[in-house]
Amino acid sequence: MKAMTIEKYGKNVPLLLTEMPVPHVGEQDVLVEIYAASLNPIDIKIKEGKAKFLLNYEFPLILGNDFSGVVVKVGEKVKTYKPGDEVYGRPRKNRIGTLAEYIAVHEEDISLKPRNLSFEQAASIPLVGLTTYQAFYDILNLQKGQKILIHAGSGGVGTFAIQLAKQMGAYVATTASEKGYDLVKSLGADRIINYREEKFEELLWGYDAVYDTLGGEVLEKSFRVLKPNGRIVSISGWPNARFGKEAQLGWIKTFLLSMVSRKITSLEKKSHTRYDFLFMKPSGAQLQLIREWIEAGHLHPVIDKVFEFKDAAQALQYLEGGSAKGKVVVTVKEL
């Protein structure tokens, strides 16, 4: 099969079109012919080696973390799916590789594709959908009437997050530029902060939650908008010692995380709030819920640009540029 691979970690390492063997199908796996895959910031981090502390792979490595396609083969113990089923999903972290013609995934990590979406639209959902679902339901326990700040509202994660928060009945503030204003407004944002001209940390206060997608200084300033006992969940900041313990990373890695996250831990204590780092887990059951919401018209994908498979490297560069409004998708199989 054809796949887009890297031979080593590095910012300027090329993405290569490579011939690779079709993956082995385990007894609880399904083999999916991939029709479309979407790109995410984690793909850039993996490519550059910035995720090595938590994720380390053998080479050549096929990039890509979510997909949609058609089941072509099932393992001996698979009961949920059959050849011909249209599915979407996010493979487990040790089995990534959606920029390829085929992928073998555990049946628990996929769901039937929303019937009202194209393959490109469906491929844009799994990673951002699961990440946001787990942030809002499993960590923040976001409730109707609560106030949440969602950073980078016009980005791939933000566009989904605004919709889900509004569906849950929350009041949503978000940061965006002038170019993203109309988009986030159309998704239901109640308060829009122009991050180029305004300082969100001076305009917002008394918030129950912050969904951080940027890390760095933005994350640090976000503690100022929370009320006591408020919570921040981040997908871009440093994991802390709590995460290390919960993920059972061992005492050495947990200690190192406690050191690099000292500033965040200090801010957490001073503001009487709680900080959690989220490392999303695949879940076909949650994708099934998201599918139902999409089919009911409560949520919809937001796609900035679709690239051909041969242009996957260009697609990754475009995502890295930071100007995408919504998701960047790669068509793997032309219909």
Side-chain angles (χ1 to χ4, degrees):
M1 68 173 187
K2 292 182 173 61
M4 288 292 179
T5 66
I6 56 172
E7 297 291 338
K8 61 180 181 179
Y9 295 125
K11 183 175 179 62
N12 298 316
V13 169
L15 197 59
L16 304 172
L17 183 60
T18 310
E19 285 290 336
M20 298 285 286
V22 173
H24 169 74
V25 181
E27 59 184 15
Q28 285 190 277
D29 290 345
V30 299
L31 182 67
V32 178
E33 183 176 16
I34 295 175
Y35 280 51
S38 79
L39 298 179
N40 301 277
I42 187 65
D43 297 307
I44 297 169
K45 291 180 180 179
I46 290 172
K47 178 178 177 289
E48 295 180 358
K50 293 180 179 178
K52 281 192 295 184
F53 188 82
L54 298 174
L55 301 168
N56 208 6
Y57 297 103
E58 295 181 357
F59 298 101
L61 172 63
I62 305 172
L63 292 179
N65 279 273
D66 49 4
F67 69 94
S68 66
V70 176
V71 175
V72 293
K73 183 179 180 180
V74 299
E76 297 173 2
K77 294 186 177 180
V78 172
K79 298 178 181 179
T80 313
Y81 301 98
K82 64 184 184 305
D85 285 343
E86 296 182 355
V87 297
Y88 75 144
R90 199 288 194 202
R92 296 177 184 186
K93 294 175 178 66
N94 61 342
R95 303 183 69 177
I96 69 168
T98 62
L99 288 177
E101 293 180 313
Y102 296 92
I103 191 168
V105 293
H106 196 286
E107 65 172 327
E108 293 179 355
D109 299 346
I110 61 174
S111 166
L112 292 175
K113 177 180 79 67
R115 288 171 295 181
N116 56 338
L117 298 188
S118 67
F119 284 104
E120 284 79 8
Q121 290 173 320
S124 75
I125 295 293
L127 190 142
V128 298
L130 289 172
T131 301
T132 304
Y133 180 96
Q134 290 166 24
F136 290 2
Y137 281 92
D138 300 342
I139 297 178
L140 295 176
N141 189 26
L142 193 62
Q143 300 294 310
K144 183 177 181 179
Q146 288 188 324
K147 297 165 70 176
I148 183 171
L149 167 61
I150 297 170
H151 283 296
S154 64
V157 176
T159 49
F160 186 93
I162 292 171
Q163 295 179 73
L164 184 58
K166 292 306 298 179
Q167 178 182 295
M168 296 171 74
Y171 177 94
V172 176
T174 191
T175 55
S177 67
E178 300 93 333
K179 293 181 179 179
Y181 182 94
D182 290 341
L183 173 59
V184 298
K185 187 69 175 176
S186 71
L187 296 174
D190 299 289
R191 179 78 186 273
I192 304 168
I193 305 295
N194 182 342
Y195 67 85
R196 297 187 189 277
E197 298 178 0
E198 301 173 306
K199 296 181 178 180
F200 71 88
E201 70 275 16
E202 295 178 357
L203 297 173
L204 307 178
W205 62 88
Y207 273 64
D208 300 280
V210 174
Y211 188 27
D212 169 55
T213 61
L214 300 171
E217 289 187 6
V218 170
L219 168 58
E220 294 170 9
K221 292 174 181 177
S222 294
F223 284 91
R224 303 184 203 174
V225 312
L226 290 174
K227 65 184 183 183
N229 298 315
R231 301 187 67 165
I232 293 180
V233 59
S234 177
I235 58 175
S236 296
W238 277 105
N240 54 7
R242 187 186 302 121
F243 172 84
K245 291 173 184 175
E246 292 173 353
Q248 298 181 326
L249 297 180
W251 73 268
I252 295 177
K253 283 190 175 182
T254 299
F255 172 74
L256 291 173
L257 290 178
S258 72
M259 297 301 291
V260 298
S261 63
R262 280 180 299 179
K263 188 170 185 179
I264 294 299
T265 301
S266 175
L267 290 168
E268 184 183 33
K269 290 178 180 177
K270 286 179 181 178
S271 58
H272 303 288
T273 58
R274 178 175 167 122
Y275 167 81
D276 287 282
F277 174 79
L278 171 60
F279 210 42
M280 183 270 293
K281 300 177 179 66
S283 172
Q286 291 174 359
L287 283 175
Q288 171 64 20
L289 277 174
I290 293 169
R291 171 195 170 220
E292 292 170 5
W293 292 334
I294 291 172
E295 290 181 347
H298 301 312
L299 303 170
H300 67 270
V302 178
I303 294 176
D304 181 285
K305 199 168 184 178
V306 179
F307 289 80
E308 295 181 22
F309 187 49
K310 64 181 178 63
D311 297 323
Q314 183 182 339
L316 203 60
Q317 289 176 349
Y318 180 71
L319 176 66
E320 192 172 7
S323 62
K325 301 291 182 281
K327 292 299 296 290
V328 176
V329 177
V330 174
T331 299
V332 179
K333 181 182 174 69
E334 297 284 353
L335 293 177

